Amino acid sequence: MDIQDLQYFLAVCDYRSITKAAEVLHISQPALSRRIQFLEDECGVKLFIRGRRFVELTPAGEHFSINARRIVESLIKALKEIEFYKHDVDIRFGFVADINMKGLLRIQSISRKFLPDTSLAFFDLPAKEIPNALLTGCVDVAYVMQGEVADIAGLKYVKAESNNLSVLVPAGHRLWQRNFVTCADLVGETFFIGCSDKDISATTAKVLDFISRRIPDADIHFKGSTCKLLVDICAGAGIGLNGVYSIDNSIGSNEYYKNIIISDACVPFGDLVLAYRDTNARAAAFVDKLCELLK
């Protein structure tokens, strides 16, 4: 039994069809059937009940699938994390792709110009993975929103940039002519968030808590993606809660929608920070030098 056998098994579990799983895996249906049969022979128990048009897991198969998925996910995670160590550099620098790329490019430019003896490798990570990546040493420094690292023991951070919360309103909206609004101006509005309610980051959770406290009975809906959010905004169904972004780097205004800063929503957990593990002296020294240069 090897990891590929488990991946093949899980594909059949997910699609409940050997034919469909074989198509997705880009192997022939007979070849996949043989691999599943070999796996069942090795386990000494039937894992599937085969019908003419479908397959179903046996009780043993259900139990085995739980452990098989854990094994595959653990291996994928281990292989992903080992990639960080393939780069022979001084600082492994993590960042979140959907926050202030202008600020990140400034950091990169200043580092290359004024800290030429410090080699860097940059890694794009989901916000939720940043704390663990710092604590395990996968990355040394991360450019991230404060809300992701503020409550994590063992991490330190230094503010790199202040941020404001903003809203996106469609053309013709009652607030269209405004450049700044207050929370009081937004009472009664329907708010859209560009992420899934099953994938809320720590910062987004803090934003939602802030809005709920400052805007009574706020009606908030999750749209799953920025594209869906913008489409529904422009249809006049509501206004977008634009996460936490820096003022000069938030989603730009155009003839279809406008980005408006909430002037009384300068929330500290939205600040962009340089975070590092408190025992990582090399990262602390780098952050100190970088912050001096960023002033």
Side-chain angles (χ1 to χ4, degrees):
M1 183 187 306
D2 59 27
I3 196 68
Q4 191 174 62
D5 289 327
L6 297 181
Q7 290 175 315
Y8 285 171
F9 165 73
L10 290 173
V12 177
C13 291
D14 292 339
Y15 291 103
R16 292 297 196 267
S17 166
I18 291 179
T19 301
K20 178 61 178 177
E23 179 183 330
V24 172
L25 294 168
H26 302 293
I27 64 173
S28 69
Q29 185 270 336
L32 180 57
S33 293
R34 286 194 298 271
R35 294 294 288 267
I36 295 299
Q37 184 62 58
F38 292 152
L39 182 61
E40 289 181 321
D41 291 344
E42 189 169 1
C43 291
V45 65
K46 285 290 184 183
L47 300 174
F48 292 107
I49 300 170
R50 293 164 173 77
R52 293 186 62 185
R53 297 180 179 274
F54 66 92
V55 295
E56 290 292 341
L57 285 163
T58 64
E62 289 279 5
H63 183 81
F64 185 70
S65 70
I66 296 171
N67 291 317
R69 203 172 296 279
R70 284 200 197 105
I71 292 169
V72 171
E73 289 175 352
S74 294
L75 178 60
I76 291 173
K77 182 174 182 291
L79 291 173
K80 182 178 179 181
E81 290 183 355
I82 206 69
E83 285 294 320
F84 294 103
Y85 298 95
K86 292 181 179 180
H87 298 265
D88 185 19
V89 294
D90 296 312
I91 297 292
R92 293 184 295 272
F93 197 106
F95 67 95
V96 182
D98 58 358
I99 64 170
N100 200 0
M101 286 303 298
K102 181 178 177 182
L104 178 66
L105 294 176
R106 182 175 176 233
I107 287 172
Q108 183 187 50
S109 176
I110 287 176
S111 298
R112 291 179 63 187
K113 184 175 181 180
F114 296 104
L115 301 172
D117 295 331
T118 302
S119 56
L120 278 73
F122 289 83
F123 300 93
D124 176 5
L125 296 169
K128 288 183 177 181
E129 294 184 13
I130 291 287
N132 186 62
L134 288 167
L135 290 170
T136 58
C138 290
V139 296
D140 300 296
V141 178
Y143 183 57
V144 67
M145 288 177 286
Q146 180 185 319
E148 301 303 311
V149 295
D151 304 321
I152 309 297
L155 296 184
K156 288 187 176 181
Y157 57 86
V158 177
K159 184 168 76 171
E161 190 169 357
S162 296
N163 283 316
N164 283 75
L165 192 60
S166 64
V167 289
L168 295 168
V169 303
H173 189 275
R174 64 183 179 87
L175 300 173
W176 179 260
Q177 299 301 322
R178 305 274 294 274
N179 292 319
F180 295 90
V181 295
T182 66
C183 289
D185 294 325
L186 301 173
V187 173
E189 293 287 345
T190 296
F191 297 95
F192 295 153
I193 301 285
C195 66
S196 165
D197 59 352
K198 296 179 177 60
D199 189 32
I200 300 175
S201 69
T203 302
T204 299
K206 290 178 171 64
V207 168
L208 294 176
D209 178 66
F210 174 86
I211 291 295
S212 297
R213 286 186 286 106
R214 296 295 299 274
I215 303 176
D217 302 317
D219 183 21
I220 301 174
H221 301 267
F222 297 88
K223 292 299 175 180
S225 71
T226 300
C227 290
K228 177 62 174 171
L229 175 141
L230 293 175
V231 167
D232 286 353
I233 287 171
C234 293
I239 65 176
L241 190 58
N242 193 20
V244 180
Y245 294 87
S246 67
I247 293 175
D248 65 347
N249 196 66
S250 52
I251 296 177
S253 303
N254 56 42
E255 66 268 35
Y256 306 111
Y257 56 82
K258 184 177 182 180
N259 190 42
I260 303 174
I261 300 300
I262 308 176
S263 60
D264 56 350
C266 188
V267 287
F269 46 80
D271 290 343
L272 292 170
V273 301
L274 293 166
Y276 57 94
R277 192 174 75 242
D278 57 10
T279 57
N280 190 332
R282 180 180 56 187
F286 172 76
V287 168
D288 286 344
K289 291 178 184 177
L290 188 58
C291 285
E292 285 296 319
L293 294 168
L294 288 171
K295 290 179 180 178

